[in-house]
Amino acid sequence: PVLKELREGAPVTHIPDMNLYLVTRYEDIVRVFQDRETFASLNSTSPFFPVCPEARKVLDSGFPRKPTFTNCDPPRHTQMRKAISQCLTPRRWAKSQPAVREYATGLVERLAKKPVADLVADLAYSLTAFAGFALLGFPSDDTDMLKEWCETRVLLTYGNLEPEKQVKAAHELTSFWNYVRDFVHRRMHEKADDLTSDLLELSAKSGDALTTE
């Protein structure tokens, strides 16, 4: 009901507590994404609320923020997208399909045994997370840990955690960064049939378009 009311009466709404604008109509959201001259992606992954000093200290010491697709604008975004599109091919997606299909089968079998099921919690969220991790080549045994770290990142960025939970989230986020960094460096010496290895091979010959970090 609140969303319906906003769409009809105030499709662009200022939220004073966050000093942000909420855009609620699909057509307007598309216009925002397409108008690079007026709107930027720079703060799209910045926390909605200020991070407490203790958590900020943890992040500054172990989480070097780098521009990614979600918080990067042209021309940098265009360079990255062009480079990575060379690796995200139908062949690469097809390679990960057997593992994803097997994982999905297990989820559905467990779901079918429940008297009541939640399609998001029991299927959609787990499956999409696993599919992304499998594409990158992350070990399937790490899926639950990686999902938890992803949730932590979302809460720290878009939630309003109390200081103690912010510090815990900051430590988990640095653990996530270290995990990914170590995985990438391992793939530099032990190539595999996964997207990470493809990206590293591309990075070696793409100049500044795609760095190891």
Side-chain angles (χ1 to χ4, degrees):
V2 174
L3 182 57
K4 183 175 185 292
E5 184 179 335
L6 288 173
R7 281 177 171 166
E8 292 175 353
V12 179
T13 305
H14 183 246
I15 306 175
D17 291 348
M18 301 180 181
N19 193 29
L20 296 172
Y21 287 89
L22 177 65
V23 182
T24 56
R25 288 180 183 169
Y26 177 82
E27 294 80 6
D28 295 332
I29 293 170
V30 171
R31 285 178 58 196
V32 168
F33 279 134
Q34 292 178 340
D35 186 354
R36 293 287 192 174
E37 297 298 321
T38 307
F39 303 99
S41 302
L42 187 63
N43 69 341
S44 62
T45 58
S46 300
F48 277 4
F49 297 94
V51 176
C52 70
E54 294 83 359
R56 173 56 57 195
K57 185 177 180 180
V58 173
L59 292 173
D60 289 344
S61 66
F63 179 59
R65 288 174 60 91
K66 300 294 177 181
T68 63
F69 281 131
T70 50
N71 64 343
C72 187
D73 292 296
R76 178 67 180 152
H77 181 278
T78 308
Q79 291 175 330
M80 293 173 65
R81 181 169 181 166
K82 183 179 179 181
I84 293 176
S85 66
Q86 298 177 50
C87 298
L88 276 175
T89 61
R91 174 191 168 276
R92 172 50 58 209
W93 286 108
K95 280 284 187 178
S96 65
Q97 191 177 73
V100 174
R101 185 177 294 277
E102 180 181 355
Y103 186 77
T105 300
L107 290 175
V108 172
E109 288 175 348
R110 289 194 293 274
L111 184 150
K113 295 176 182 178
K114 294 185 174 184
V116 177
D118 182 327
L119 285 178
V120 173
D122 297 333
L123 180 64
Y125 172 45
S126 294
L127 182 58
T128 50
F130 179 85
F133 301 148
L135 187 68
L136 291 165
F138 290 157
S140 58
D141 290 345
D142 293 344
T143 296
D144 289 340
M145 176 182 69
L146 293 166
K147 276 172 54 185
E148 183 177 339
W149 283 342
C150 288
E151 291 172 12
T152 295
R153 173 66 189 269
V154 171
L155 288 172
L156 189 63
T157 304
Y158 305 118
N160 189 14
L161 300 175
E162 54 196 58
E164 183 178 338
K165 291 183 178 180
Q166 288 184 31
V167 174
K168 180 177 182 295
H171 280 294
E172 290 190 6
L173 192 50
T174 57
S175 295
F176 199 176
W177 171 264
N178 291 332
Y179 176 96
V180 173
R181 181 199 59 202
D182 293 345
F183 181 81
V184 168
H185 282 282
R186 190 160 66 250
R187 279 291 185 266
M188 292 174 74
H189 305 289
E190 303 171 7
K191 293 292 194 301
D193 193 4
D194 56 35
L195 180 61
T196 301
S197 298
D198 293 349
L199 292 172
L200 281 167
E201 185 176 338
L202 179 66
S203 174
K205 54 187 179 184
S206 70
D208 294 334
L210 186 68
T211 66
T212 302
E213 289 189 322

